[in-house]
Amino acid sequence: MSGGVSEEERRARAALTRVVEPGDEHGGRWLRELGAVGLLRRLTSVSHDDALTGPSEQRIHGYRTRAVRADPDGDLAAVEACGGRFVVPGDPEWPSQLDDLGDARPVGLWVRGRPDLRRWALRSVAVVGARACTPYGAHMAATLASGLAERGWVVVSGAAFGVDGAAHRGALAAGGATVAVLACGVDRAYPRGHAELIRRIAEQGLVIGELPPGSHPTPSRFILRNRVIAALTRGTVVVEAEYRSGSLVTARAAQRLGRFTMGVPGPATSGLSAGVHELLRGEAELVTDAAEVAELVGDIGDLAPPRRGPVLPRDLLDPAGARVLEALPARGTAATADDVARDAGTTVDEALGRLYELHALGFVERHGGGWQLTPQAVRRPNARRGGP
């Protein structure tokens, strides 16, 4: 792989992905202070020094044991065999926004797929949510993802059941770009029920992870994986989440990192939307479609269209005509031109002129010496709340 990273550095970082768990800030600090080659050398040295401070001796012994057993050449060969590569800080493909994680930054990323990760990450949005989502949640995730993909955004998620899977499928169905961030080795399909989906993502998009080939997921790895999703993207959208949902971890990590945090509202009675609603009561932005997401995370000019109901004939009246129309009783009773002029705040001649115009437009009709609304004008769907 091209770039300013030596093969010794790459091998050391590959080995360290077997040693340092994702998000381990002790390991991250050592890596920052000693460098990958220096840290690996100290962990595999028979003589112990004082450079490795922080964790207990028992934990440091665990680091040393894993370091001695690491086989970076074998792992690099395994990822190459499945069409992948190992990307590290200093590579042209490294997404620099991951550096915002500080000492919790990934040691490196194992990647499957042809696209350039750095370029894709620059215009990406995370769509996450409940595994046991409702049909509404699956529909909203797929619709959001396909709309974002059609606008040229990369959809990032975790390949889990529920909202994650719906988001990936929505992007793929639109012929768009999607990235799956796994909590296991990129050569493994987890969950197994998503083996075909993950294969499609690797062919059309990218599958990435911090753990070396063959690694299995654990509950803590799922939670720590979420910080990568948050840091990698411009913003995170949560579609359905309970109060203790892992997707809320992603959203709160995005908030801490200064990324946009968004939520799709659901029924107030749904426990699966309770966590989203709690986010929306705080700093998160409410979104209902891809256009609103793009307006938040995009550049100047990525504006969502204005929201309004259908344009009705009465909306096209000028202010004077609208005032005369509003002055007529809504109960089917007739009013004289004098009554209309008084209630509309105009002269009788002006009121008569406007009434004849409204008659031609089908809004009013004459009954003897009075005027009243037509049945169509009485049934006005855009009447003001609390109006007659």
Side-chain angles (χ1 to χ4, degrees):
M1 182 177 294
S2 61
V5 180
S6 68
E7 286 309 307
E8 186 182 22
E9 169 85 3
R10 193 178 310 281
R11 286 185 70 259
R13 284 185 175 269
L16 289 170
T17 63
R18 287 280 178 195
V19 178
V20 178
E21 278 290 307
D24 181 345
E25 295 194 21
H26 291 300
R29 176 173 59 82
W30 295 338
L31 189 57
R32 172 172 50 82
E33 293 173 350
L34 303 172
V37 175
L39 175 56
L40 184 62
R41 187 176 296 127
R42 280 177 166 81
L43 287 170
T44 55
S45 173
V46 293
S47 61
H48 297 183
D49 57 36
D50 297 330
L52 304 180
T53 60
S56 65
E57 281 298 322
Q58 183 178 4
R59 188 171 173 186
I60 292 176
H61 176 71
Y63 287 113
R64 294 184 182 279
T65 301
R66 292 192 295 273
V68 170
R69 293 175 179 172
D71 177 16
D73 294 326
D75 286 335
L76 290 167
V79 77
E80 185 176 354
C82 68
R85 57 196 179 276
F86 184 53
V87 179
V88 301
D91 281 331
E93 195 182 355
W94 179 257
S96 59
Q97 57 266 50
L98 291 179
D99 300 343
D100 293 346
L101 291 169
D103 288 342
R105 179 182 73 171
V107 175
L109 288 174
W110 302 88
V111 180
R112 283 176 63 197
R114 290 183 296 273
D116 184 284
L117 175 59
R118 185 190 68 81
R119 290 178 183 170
W120 271 30
L122 290 174
R123 190 173 167 84
S124 65
V125 178
V127 179
V128 298
R131 285 177 172 80
C133 67
T134 66
Y136 163 78
H139 169 76
M140 288 303 301
T143 302
L144 277 170
S146 62
L148 287 165
E150 288 168 357
R151 287 167 171 80
W153 287 89
V154 177
V155 176
V156 179
S157 199
F161 289 131
V163 166
D164 288 16
H168 289 304
R169 291 189 181 96
L172 291 170
T178 189
V179 177
V181 184
L182 304 186
C184 59
V186 295
D187 59 336
R188 298 192 58 174
Y190 190 91
R192 291 183 180 179
H194 275 177
E196 176 61 19
L197 174 62
I198 292 170
R199 183 192 65 77
R200 288 179 59 205
I201 295 170
E203 288 182 353
Q204 189 170 323
L206 288 168
V207 175
I208 69 173
E210 298 177 76
L211 293 160
S215 298
H216 64 277
T218 64
S220 63
R221 286 172 172 177
F222 281 116
I223 294 298
L224 291 163
R225 177 269 312 270
N226 294 341
R227 82 195 194 289
V228 175
I229 296 177
L232 193 66
T233 54
R234 297 276 290 272
T236 293
V237 185
V238 183
V239 184
E240 289 195 323
E242 295 181 297
Y243 282 122
R244 294 175 58 84
S245 171
S247 55
L248 298 184
V249 175
T250 311
R252 289 173 181 134
Q255 287 177 330
R256 289 193 299 272
L257 291 165
R259 311 294 197 259
F260 292 98
T261 308
M262 296 154 278
V264 176
T269 54
S270 172
L272 277 171
S273 289
V276 180
H277 296 162
E278 188 65 22
L279 277 179
L280 293 173
R281 283 167 53 86
E283 299 300 320
E285 297 282 349
L286 186 151
V287 293
T288 60
D289 61 19
E292 292 175 350
V293 175
E295 181 178 62
L296 280 172
V297 303
D299 300 319
I300 294 173
D302 288 339
L303 300 178
R307 311 297 184 189
R308 56 168 298 163
V311 177
L312 301 175
R314 69 169 52 236
D315 297 327
L316 304 178
L317 295 174
D318 61 30
R323 284 199 306 274
V324 168
L325 187 63
E326 292 289 339
L328 286 163
R331 303 299 178 188
T333 56
T336 66
D338 289 343
D339 294 335
V340 172
R342 182 185 66 249
D343 292 342
T346 186
T347 66
V348 174
D349 289 342
E350 175 71 11
L352 277 170
R354 295 295 180 176
L355 285 166
Y356 279 111
E357 289 177 7
L358 293 169
H359 181 271
L361 294 170
F363 286 105
V364 302
E365 55 193 10
R366 282 199 76 170
H367 285 271
W371 299 82
Q372 70 180 47
L373 296 173
T374 60
Q376 292 80 6
V378 172
R379 294 192 298 271
R380 44 182 182 168
N382 64 332
R384 294 189 303 269
R385 183 174 296 179

